[in-house]
Amino acid sequence: MPNLNRLAFAGFLTLLPSAAFAHHPTGGMAPQSAIDGFLSGLAHPVIGLDHLAFIVGVGLLAALTAHRFLAPLLFVGATVAGTLLHLMAFDLPAAEFVIALSVAAIGVLALSGRSYGMLVTGGLFAVAGLFHGYAYGEAVVGSESGAVIAYLVGFAAIQYAVAIAAGHVAVKLLGEGRSARENFGLRVTGGVVAGAGAIILGEQMLAIVGLAG
């Protein structure tokens, strides 16, 4: 059984690098129907490494709180709000940089294997969620209201599902322990998320100084 758990865990980790694709699931075309909007919403959070890595981190940190199933809803709700801000033409400055920073930060927190309580965890979920959702909003600029609503439903559902699955794989399959030493699987996953965040943050820093696109 330990070997089976390790294989399941290793398979879960492969989700991260395999998801580093384009950020616009419809190839640059804003969805115009409810079906297209829903499918686009399902795809958007998991085809971008930055978003997927953060959602996995949400699941890891939530699993260390007393609100494993409720805490991810803070992030999901904030992403919906962030998308609506984008569609209302509000500007969130340096969104891509903040998103990259958030991935690195949540990975480091998960790597520690500690519970930081709902004040810190919920605050991170809410603030980061606004920026991740703001980025999601670009995909439905110009879409009809029905497509936008379906898009919101789609990405809310997939984010919650991924977060809950991440917590389950890292904690339930690999041990119920809550100390840093006992949560080996959770900490390794946190390290993967932190590494992805460091890469994404490095790319953003290079872009800021004009050395990368």
Side-chain angles (χ1 to χ4, degrees):
M1 184 61 69
N3 288 335
L4 180 60
N5 287 342
R6 288 187 177 90
L7 285 173
F9 179 58
F12 175 72
L13 292 183
T14 63
L15 290 176
L16 290 180
S18 67
F21 299 114
H23 276 56
H24 206 307
T26 55
M29 299 292 292
Q32 295 302 323
S33 70
I35 293 296
D36 287 345
F38 182 71
L39 294 176
S40 182
L42 288 178
H44 202 132
V46 297
I47 62 174
L49 176 60
D50 47 3
H51 302 308
L52 178 61
F54 191 87
I55 297 165
V56 170
V58 166
L60 302 184
L61 288 192
L64 292 175
T65 73
H67 307 284
R68 178 185 165 199
F69 296 100
L70 292 178
L73 293 176
L74 287 172
F75 173 71
V76 173
T79 59
V80 171
T83 295
L84 295 177
L85 286 177
H86 192 133
L87 295 178
M88 292 186 291
F90 281 87
D91 182 44
L92 289 183
E96 291 297 328
F97 178 79
V98 173
I99 289 170
L101 185 61
S102 74
V103 177
I106 202 168
V108 169
L109 293 180
L111 176 61
S112 75
R114 295 174 51 198
S115 175
Y116 292 87
M118 279 304 298
L119 183 61
V120 172
T121 301
L124 174 61
F125 290 179
V127 173
L130 283 176
F131 284 87
H132 283 263
Y134 183 83
Y136 295 161
E138 183 65 26
V140 286
V141 172
S143 295
E144 299 292 336
S145 59
V148 171
I149 292 171
Y151 179 74
L152 296 175
V153 171
F155 80 60
I158 194 66
Q159 288 181 121
Y160 187 73
V162 170
I164 295 303
H168 178 76
V169 171
V171 176
K172 294 298 183 182
L173 286 182
L174 296 164
E176 293 282 357
R178 286 295 185 266
S179 73
R181 181 174 298 176
E182 293 170 333
N183 273 302
F184 175 75
L186 185 149
R187 296 179 67 202
V188 170
T189 312
V192 173
V193 173
I199 293 171
I200 298 165
L201 185 60
E203 291 176 348
Q204 287 297 315
M205 295 294 292
L206 289 174
I208 288 173
V209 298
L211 296 179

